Amino acid sequence: MGVRSAGGRTVARWAVAGLGPAALAYGLAAGLPAYWVFLAMSAVISGVLLQSLGVVAGQAGMVSLCQMAFAAIGAWTTAQLNVWGVPGGLYVWLPLAGLAAVPFGLLIGLPALRLRGVHLAIITLGFAATVDVVMAANSFPGVSQGVVVGRPAGLTSDRQFFLLCCGVFALVAVALSLVRRTRLGASWRALKESERATAAAGTSVPGAKLSAFAVSAFIAGVSGALLAGQLAMVVSRNFDPGQSLVAYAVAVMAGAHHAEGALIGGALGVLVSELLRRLGVPQQWANVVFAVGAVQAMTQGSGMSDGLRTALRSAVRKALRARRARAASAVAAPPPDPEPAATEITPDVPGPREPRAALRIERVSVRYGQVVAVDEVGLTVLAGDVHGLVGPNGAGKSSLVDAISGFVPAGGGVVEVGGVVVADGRGGTSVHRRARAGLRRTFQQDRVPVGLSVREYLRFAARRALGDDELAEGLAGLVAVAPGDPIAVLDVGTRRLLEVAGTLLARPAIAVLDEPAAGLGHAESERLGAWLRRVPARYGAAVLLIEHDLDLVRAACTGVTVLDFGRVVAQGPPAEVFAEPRVLRAYLGEEPAA
């Protein structure tokens, strides 16, 4: 009954969210003068284009200055389908126009596999200029014969076509909202934060980039088809490469990764230009306004839609706190058990058996030119163990972890995860394939994508569906956050612990935790040590802990390896290793007592 009522509430929310904009669109179509209906149509079509930028730039964090080129391809395809008389009209031509732009999106996405920032911007802008030259040299189909793009029956007037544009915008917005909830959508937002962390979570970075460009090109192609239907006859001037720059600035300023931001951006693009026209000011000055707005958004790290959502979220959170306070005053609830006994994963633990290696490395070396950072290191972490890797700064710990996880070559050595060889003298598998094989890691720097909620991130990191009960279990005793909390409001220390939780919820064979206690106080570090000791029993994962806090290493680890100048100088139980004279000299900077 509760599930059914919850589903009913969800349907009701979707219905209310859809009926409001639908009623507004119908009211604008019926009540606005014809000229303003045309302008509103332009705003909505621009909003569709901006949603394409919201994918590739807003969510995936890549620079794309060629969206008008994709739109031109979509418009050209629509005009050609119109000349050929392909049945179905715009109802069929719209998706075909989007599909025609997808191969070009994949093509321009290939440089993004290695380039980023200004270099990618130059490539995409060059593509836009190339398409413009080709379109200018070869007129759009039907232009020389005077054949206009026809509208289907029932959409012949601007008011009717405006409603179609609104429907397409809403359809794209709903589709992107659904994609945001999938692993694909999460991979785009993770990609924006860190490519290394995205790969370490088992996601193919090239696949995420190409999919973002493909989806973006499809949506931009659809916007070009809508523009062809609006204008009836399009020419290359309608898709000037400079407009791609303006569209990018508007997308950044408005926050086009959200549907409302794309709509706000489309409306601003039309209204600012119209206002300048009425004031007798050259409309090119609108570009300056959008550039200033984009710079301001980049400085703040958020667009207009982000500000609106933050304000709304704050208001809702305040109302919920007040509601909970009233409920708590009425009914005194028992305090929650921070470590429920029922959550311990012990009943299914099998009897004694032969210990196996969760991670085995042999003769791993890392060189940077003439510098030897890691020199033929060997290390074994048995299943069920928490093993420490320590050493002074510059000892080679980070380079060794990068070699294990696949970010740098292992120098001909062998890396074996759960009995599967992922690197040997012939080479090694990619980072995301090692992650899928059971090797997961965290990073020294904060690389948790702030665009996700706690629930979305943990599901993305775990690569599987997780219920709220399992999420709460994974967070219990480690970090005090709720699954619905946005990561953007969490402090860095909390996000680092959240990364640890996500890594272990993936149930890997070996979890490599790189300085998880950085920034934690002594009491928090003690709690982390106690929590790490229970990791093998709770998650079935061995742990390789890289840490400078020796008290944490002593508390959590059953064994420890010490590196110095890229070589192993000691291995064994922590008490014995930390008492060795060479460890005292190399790591602690102390001389043994006489």
Side-chain angles (χ1 to χ4, degrees), residues 329-533:
S329 63
V331 179
D337 184 3
E339 297 273 348
T343 63
E344 289 291 334
I345 305 177
T346 54
D348 298 330
V349 176
R353 57 183 175 182
E354 185 95 13
R356 59 183 178 83
L359 172 69
R360 183 178 67 86
I361 63 176
E362 293 181 357
R363 303 183 308 279
V364 168
S365 300
V366 177
R367 295 177 179 269
Y368 303 108
Q370 300 299 317
V371 177
V372 180
V374 177
D375 191 5
E376 296 195 345
V377 168
L379 172 66
T380 298
V381 181
L382 297 178
D385 278 359
V386 179
H387 193 91
L389 178 65
V390 300
N393 290 328
K397 302 185 298 297
S398 296
S399 295
L400 178 60
V401 172
D402 282 346
I404 294 171
S405 52
F407 287 105
V408 298
V414 176
V415 179
E416 186 180 290
V417 177
V420 177
V421 176
V422 297
D424 56 22
R426 296 168 294 180
T429 58
S430 61
V431 176
H432 74 276
R433 293 189 182 280
R434 297 189 194 197
R436 295 178 185 179
L439 171 62
R440 301 297 293 269
R441 65 165 293 184
T442 65
F443 294 85
Q444 291 183 15
Q445 299 82 16
D446 173 30
R447 297 179 184 269
V448 178
V450 296
L452 300 174
S453 67
V454 170
R455 180 186 293 105
E456 289 172 330
Y457 171 70
L458 292 179
R459 288 175 176 173
F460 169 74
R463 292 188 56 80
R464 57 193 176 92
L466 297 171
D468 282 355
D469 290 342
E470 190 173 359
L471 291 175
E473 175 191 335
L475 297 170
L478 178 65
V479 55
V481 293
D485 289 346
I487 293 176
V489 303
L490 305 179
D491 60 80
V492 175
T494 301
R495 292 203 294 263
R496 290 178 63 82
L497 294 179
L498 189 65
E499 185 182 17
V500 172
T503 298
L504 291 168
L505 281 170
R507 309 281 181 176
I510 179 73
V512 182
L513 307 182
D514 199 348
E515 299 189 18
L520 300 183
H522 181 69
E524 294 171 311
S525 182
E526 284 186 339
R527 285 197 298 271
L528 177 61
W531 190 87
L532 287 174
R533 282 199 306 270

Side-chain angles (χ1 to χ4, degrees), residues 123-181:
I123 293 293
T124 56
L125 187 59
F127 173 74
T130 302
V131 171
D132 182 61
V133 170
V134 173
M135 293 292 183
N138 303 275
S139 62
F140 279 72
V143 171
S144 58
Q145 298 88 4
V147 179
V148 299
V149 176
R151 296 177 182 175
L155 300 176
T156 53
S157 72
D158 279 355
R159 297 183 190 277
Q160 294 168 333
F161 195 75
F162 168 69
L163 292 177
L164 172 67
C165 294
C166 291
V168 172
F169 178 92
L171 187 61
V172 171
V174 170
L176 290 180
S177 177
L178 294 175
V179 171
R180 282 177 67 94
R181 303 181 183 186

Side-chain angles (χ1 to χ4, degrees), residues 14-110:
W14 276 96
V16 171
L19 287 175
L24 177 61
Y26 184 81
L28 291 175
L32 287 177
Y35 177 69
W36 283 98
V37 169
F38 185 86
L39 292 182
M41 192 192 313
S42 299
V44 174
I45 294 174
S46 296
V48 175
L49 178 74
L50 291 176
Q51 285 191 91
S52 74
L53 271 167
V55 171
V56 71
Q59 294 191 53
M62 296 180 289
V63 179
S64 176
L65 303 180
C66 60
Q67 298 306 110
M68 292 305 294
F70 297 143
I73 293 168
W76 190 96
T77 302
T78 303
Q80 185 64 67
L81 294 173
N82 177 67
V83 170
W84 287 341
V86 175
L90 281 171
Y91 297 117
V92 174
W93 303 345
L94 283 172
L96 291 179
L99 290 174
V102 169
F104 295 92
L106 293 173
L107 177 66
I108 200 62
L110 291 176

Side-chain angles (χ1 to χ4, degrees), residues 321-333:
R321 280 200 297 265
R323 183 177 176 181
R324 289 168 184 163
R326 289 193 298 269
S329 63
V331 179

